[in-house]
Amino acid sequence: MDGILQQSQSLFTCRPQISNNCQLHVKPFFGFFLKPPHSSKKEFTRHGLSLRISASADFQKKRQKKVSTSRPRTAAPAKGFSPKAPTGTGLQKQDGRNKGQDDSMPTASSVASALDDVKPETSDSGELIGSSQELRIDGEIDNTNGKVGERSTVNESVAIVSESQFVGDESIVSLDKSKNAGALVEAEVGTSAIVEIGLEKNDLDIVQVCPVAKGEISLGTVESVSGIEATRHESVSVEESLEKVVALLKADAETALVNMEIEAKSLAPTFISEVSEAIEAAEDKVITEVRGFENVGRLVTSDKPRSIIPSFETSLSEGRLGGEVRGFENVGRLVSSDKPRSIIPSFETSLSEGRLGGEVADIIDAFDALGTIGISEAQAIIAQVEKRVEGDEGVDNDGIYSRSETMIADNDQRSSVTKGGDGRGEGEVNLPKFDATAASNAPTKENEVADSSERLKQEMEAAMRRQVLEELAQENFFKSNKLFTYPKVVKAGEDVEVFLNRSLSPLKDEPEVLIMGAFNDWRWRSFTTKLNKSNLDGDWWSCQIRVPEEAYIIDFVFFNGRNVYDNNDGKDFHIALEGGMDPSDFEDFLLEEKQQELERLAREQAERDRKAEEQRRIEAEKAASEADRAQARAEVERQRNNLQEMIKKAPTSVANIWYFDPPEFDCGDLVKLFYNKNSGPLGRSDEIWVHGGHNGWQEGLSIVAKLVKSSRTDGEWWYAEVTVPDRAFVLDWVFANGPPQKASVYDNNNRLDFHAATLKSVADELYWVELEQVIFRKLQEARRAEKTARMKAEMKEKTLKRFLLSQKHIVYTDPLELEAGKAATVYYNPSNTVLNGKPEVWFRGSFNRWTHQKGPLSPQKMVPGENGSHVKTAVKIPLDAYVMDFVFSEKEDGGVFDNKDGMDYHVPVYGGITKESPMHIVHISVEMAPIAKVGGLGDVVTSLSRAVQDLNHNVDIVLPKYDCMNASHIKDLHYQRSYSWGGIEIKVWFGKVEGLSVYFLEPVNGFFSVGCIYGRNNDAQRFDFFCHAALEFLQQSGFHPDIIHCHDWSTAPVAWLFKDHYVQYGLTKARVVFTIHNLEFGAGLIGKAMTYADKATTVSPTYSKEIAGNPAIAPYLGKFYGILNGIDPDIWDPFNDKFIPVPYTSENVIEGKQAAKRALQQRLGIKVADIPVVGIISRLTHQKGIHLIKHAIFRTLERNGQVVLLGSAPDPRIQNDFVNLEHELRTSHSDPARLVLTYDEPLSHLIYAGADFIIVPSIFEPCGLTQLVAMRYGSIPIVRKTGGLYDTVFDVDHDKERAQAQGLEPNGFSFEGADTAGVDYALNRAISAWYNGREWFNSLCKRVMEQDWSWNRPALDYLELYYAARK
């Protein structure tokens, strides 16, 4: 019996249910935390015995407050005995009822005295004689007040010992083993008893202990109607019974411990609070006796009445502790003692403040100790408890402390019963003492209060869940239901745990069980999940399933993973869901999901295709590189052999033809080459030149010199001094009658050329290695040039298609590309034009800019098209057509026309036998990149001219000859002629710039020899003179251009000077087109030019709308158009950019930009790291939003980014402001920011390539090229919505539809307003996208690189404008 008690000492409240075969089932009790009010009675027969169990509970009842004090050990209560168990059992609820008991009520003590001498008779075999006779305590039970009648008789062989309380319908007897270690009771025989502790009336599992012989025990039932009856049952060995009991106790110990800890946690703070009040109220009156008891129904006997702390008893009677203080019934054991106990203040404080965290097991230990030690020792104990609970003792998956088993084992060792001898009283327990010294130094952690509360909540929830699952399992098993779910009501969008009783399933013999199912009648989201054996009693297996919000039913079967199924007898299993989607709505949902799935698959396929294409590209480049390397090796081998042959054959001189002086020479020597003029075809030439090279002309011309006549008299000898090239083994040359590109007669030694060997006639191996590398690089450059040309052609074709489709919402053709000699269909949508709502639409067209020999087509009435919104008509295209022209009208004879605002509609025709004659366009400008560039005007003039010229038109540029222009970019600059205007001589120079013909006008008055382009006080006078001189040049040179294109205020006078002075005098063919680049300068001159120009443009559609109300523009809106600028793809080309470390295209944009970022960070001395870099490349003026630029710098730094600014301010005050800002940033943010306050072309290329973002927060921006260059290099623009910035940057979050209307995809971030909040909105989204979605961001970089922002599209728009001006 000691073993049982020791094993069970740490268990919390349990309900022993004892059957006749000595099986003890311990059912954990969750008390007032979980169990709702209920009552139940069950009666069944087992082995011929009747067992009746009745239980009820109503923990909502309010307990009556009552304070009891200690009573002497020798005295019995005057009005019936009502023990106040120190663990706060449910017996105290009867306290109020016991007040009304009369003095004649028999007590347990009196009954015990009457039975003390009764001994059972036994046979020789040890069996109990007379065991079939009944135990009866006469006297009727009063169900209203709990009294027992006066008469009490006891039949033979039965003894009742210790105290008892007769309440209600049942009998409660306290048992003590101290008098007889061989039996469960103190006497030699058993007695009727209720061994449940701490339950209220009618909340008991009734158990009878029947009379047995010594060393045996028999457990059975009892029915109490007018007394207590005991009936003889089978006898079994005590040892056998105890072994079974111990095994069952261990099995359920872990579960019981969890419940103990949960309840004790909840009760401890309140308990201590009440104790504190009691201590103050009772004036140091303390517990004189705490009667302990063992878990398995053993109450320690004593002659003394029980008492607990008054305030604690009061709390119990009032129900403030929740109804049942289960947490202190079986806390190890509470031991009686004559010594006063007191609650340690520090322990009380720790509990009330929650510093004990979640380790209730330590609280239990502390209460064990309180039974036997003094205050000082207890204080040390509490400190050690606090230290222990601050540890990190984990919880396993079931929420059970992993230390549970250890605690049970520890209790076996530290709990031992002693009897007297040390003055501490009967039945006291020796407990191990804590290390008081170590415990007193243990710290507390107030910040663990919240964690402790959360853990307690989780543990309570886990306990609740386990309680419910056990009840569901038992309920369904009794009903023979093999399946249940938790929760019982399953809701869509939540998790459900499915339980299967394998023993009731065809899978009962299978080692593995799986569930296979789907949702919504097996139509959606199939799943297969393995079930695991649960910790519930019985053969219950479970798994968890996540239920989608769109589901309305779960369908499933169970199987063993192979061929054994449980499909509910062919009906499958189904669980209806609450709150799921309506089945009719699910049909629509399925269609949407299918569409999304198809889109997802398409994206995945596109990504696979992209990766496959990338792999093919890499492999192709590798193969091409290997091929170039092999070709270089072969070429080196060929040249090596040829050189060796030449060295062998090369003479030092040829008599009467040529010789060197000195005859032997080496690399770097200066020598004289003599040539006999009369020895060859140059005998009649006035000049003799030598064109030479070396090593088989390996590097082309390396020697060019003019010969002079020598003083020799023995022939017509001429000579030239030449320097022998470095590493020359053989010299190669010919003689000619002039310099390269101007010579017409050659002496090339009968096409064998001349050769002479140097002293360095043997080439070392290093030379050939270097030569191979040179040849390899040349091959690579040729391959790159080929790829560049291919990409440009593909981009141009793509842009042309986009151009043809740009008006698709209004007009398009089928086929898209028209062919001469074939039919085509024209589709027109009048709802988007001035013909909206007209009953009829008529097509009026022709070919070749309305000049076709057959004249206009007859008007054709259009008929409805297939899509409903368009009308259509068929057109036969003649073989000699190169373009189709058309307009639309509301009537056959005219009426309202849609002629595209005077531009007409034009579609190119391919394959015709007639080609369009090229136009001649002349630009008159004061800027041109890269030789005379100040702003965007110079870029436009150069790039637009090149793009139009690439479309097979003739373009010339007239420009002032500045003394400050960059002549290094001018090829073959030479003086051509002079002319006069206004009495001033003007020299004409000619040269090629970027492949364009440029005429430079240099007046001798020095107007353009002032060291600058702008900035003189007489700028207006200077440029007005230039406009006159340019028109005079065109007239005197015999030019007859189709278009004269002038730009901005500086050449605005061309418009009216042409109309007033030159249109009647030779330039009758020309039309004037005027472009406004910036209305902020020279508005008066611009307004006058608008009056005279045939067509006028500005640099973006949005800017044209923004300035449409300006008085200089408003009267001429009918001829005013907005055409976007573009960028020069050859100047801004990351694939051929010599200023960046790794050339790249959209195919390897990430690799290229990462290399550029590292190079940028290294060059500027900022941290080399993979963090977002924001670039700013701008003139620092108020127009560019300098206050927003400053804010963007600091905001980027706040977001852990880096900032690089390149720019300068024409205003010294602004320049100084940014100089100070640069110093401030170096002080406060030394690493992540750099401001370069000058112009640096190479650095600008590196910033465009190395930055992740380029920000352009301009207050107004007519067009802007910065954002276009940024996208060319794969950098994402962040812009303010104004002018051309709005027309070119489409916000990734807000502009998808607007981008699609232009045939594009979103490509950046934008904001409205001119305040810092707008900058933050765009910049925050951009940087967050970089940090949070790198894969998406990288795809955005690739996307913007593939968009064409070159002059391909603007050139087509300008050609349309030029043709419209000529019409």
Side-chain angles (χ1 to χ4, degrees), residues 32 330 345 459 488 665 667 693 743 929 947 1008 1072 1245 1304 1326:
F32 53 83
N330 295 318
E459 291 164 4
K488 294 178 69 175
F665 49 86
C667 300
F1008 305 108
V1072 175
H1245 287 245
L1304 297 169

Side-chain angles (χ1 to χ4, degrees), residues 607 610-611 1329-1330 1332-1341:
E607 180 63 16
R610 185 194 66 78
K611 290 181 178 179
W1330 190 95
N1332 302 331
R1334 291 297 293 277
E1335 184 175 348
W1336 175 86
F1337 181 82
N1338 291 342
S1339 67
L1340 181 61
C1341 295

Side-chain angles (χ1 to χ4, degrees), residues 930-931 965-971 992:
I931 60 174
M965 68 183 182
N966 188 352
S968 63
H969 291 282
I970 307 173
K971 291 184 178 181
K992 289 281 188 175

Side-chain angles (χ1 to χ4, degrees), residues 177-188:
K177 65 176 278 289
S178 60
K179 292 184 179 181
N180 192 327
L184 189 63
V185 296
E186 180 177 342
E188 294 181 1

Side-chain angles (χ1 to χ4, degrees), residues 1188-1262:
L1188 300 180
I1189 289 175
K1190 293 177 181 178
H1191 179 77
I1193 291 173
F1194 287 101
R1195 185 57 182 157
T1196 300
L1197 300 180
E1198 291 172 1
R1199 292 298 308 273
N1200 297 319
Q1202 293 178 334
V1203 180
V1204 176
L1205 180 146
L1206 175 63
S1208 60
D1211 187 334
R1213 293 171 299 178
I1214 297 176
Q1215 182 77 4
N1216 290 334
D1217 189 25
F1218 273 86
V1219 169
N1220 294 333
L1221 176 61
E1222 196 270 340
H1223 292 321
E1224 176 187 346
L1225 291 172
R1226 281 189 177 273
T1227 302
S1228 60
H1229 301 81
S1230 60
D1231 187 62
R1234 288 294 183 271
L1235 275 59
V1236 181
L1237 302 176
T1238 185
Y1239 180 75
D1240 188 329
E1241 182 74 12
L1243 181 57
S1244 70
H1245 287 245
L1246 190 57
I1247 293 174
Y1248 280 124
D1252 297 292
F1253 306 97
I1254 298 292
I1255 187 166
V1256 189
S1258 301
I1259 302 303
F1260 70 92
E1261 191 65 68

Side-chain angles (χ1 to χ4, degrees), residues 959-961 985-989 1000-1004 1008-1009:
L959 188 76
K961 187 177 184 300
E985 180 187 358
I986 302 170
K987 296 179 181 180
V988 180
W989 297 72
F1000 299 91
L1001 305 184
E1002 183 185 17
V1004 296
F1008 305 108
S1009 300

Side-chain angles (χ1 to χ4, degrees), residues 521-535:
D521 303 314
W522 294 94
R523 301 175 59 194
W524 188 55
R525 289 196 185 180
S526 61
F527 59 86
T528 300
T529 304
K530 183 178 179 181
L531 279 74
N532 297 305
K533 180 70 170 67
S534 73
N535 56 6

Side-chain angles (χ1 to χ4, degrees), residues 263-273 328 347 351-352 363 367:
E263 296 182 23
K265 274 186 183 179
S266 175
L267 296 174
T270 305
F271 172 72
I272 296 305
S273 176
F328 301 97
F347 183 59
L351 284 174
S352 63
I363 299 175
F367 273 83

